[in-house]
Amino acid sequence: MPNENLIPFDKRTEEEQRRIASDGGKASGAARRRKRSLKDAADLYLSLPVSDRRRWNKIARRGIDPEDVDNQMAMIIGLTEAATQGDAKAAKVIVDLLGDTANNSGGAIEDDPITKSLKETINAVTETDQDT
């Protein structure tokens, strides 16, 4: 049962078409800004230093340079620990971040600065773990 209130786009006046297109463009821009601000907020939080003294000491004991001890490093260490204890999801996240999967085409994800930074952190942690 079709809705009788729907009017096809080509049956609308030019003015209505312009207004609808304009509203859609504005909504699209707002959604892009929200998404970008969410990424910026995540990047900011991950770059903050670890506030918990015990966690900071635990990370520093692993040989991580004190200036590199931030929330991003803590997250990567947590993922690495979970993966080494058999958590398949954590292992998949790490492998995906490193880009070692055959299905990863490496498109936009490779260009993402957050992902790039996470990969560098993972490499630093895994190199440190291999040295110990």
Side-chain angles (χ1 to χ4, degrees), residues 49-123:
V50 173
S51 58
D52 181 19
R53 179 64 66 192
R54 280 188 248 168
R55 179 173 282 157
W56 191 95
N57 288 333
K58 182 179 178 183
I59 294 170
R61 280 193 304 265
R62 291 177 168 261
I64 305 298
D65 190 15
E67 65 186 36
D68 291 334
V69 178
D70 57 8
N71 288 318
Q72 181 174 329
M73 181 65 73
M75 185 179 77
I76 296 304
I77 289 172
L79 277 170
T80 304
E81 288 175 352
T84 56
Q85 293 175 1
D87 185 345
K89 288 182 181 179
K92 178 163 177 21
V93 169
I94 291 172
V95 168
D96 288 346
L97 285 172
L98 291 173
D100 289 343
T101 59
N103 296 335
N104 189 357
S105 62
I109 292 175
E110 294 295 324
D111 299 334
D112 182 16
I114 295 172
T115 304
K116 191 177 201 178
S117 178
L118 284 171
K119 284 181 183 181
E120 291 169 0
T121 304
I122 289 171
N123 289 332

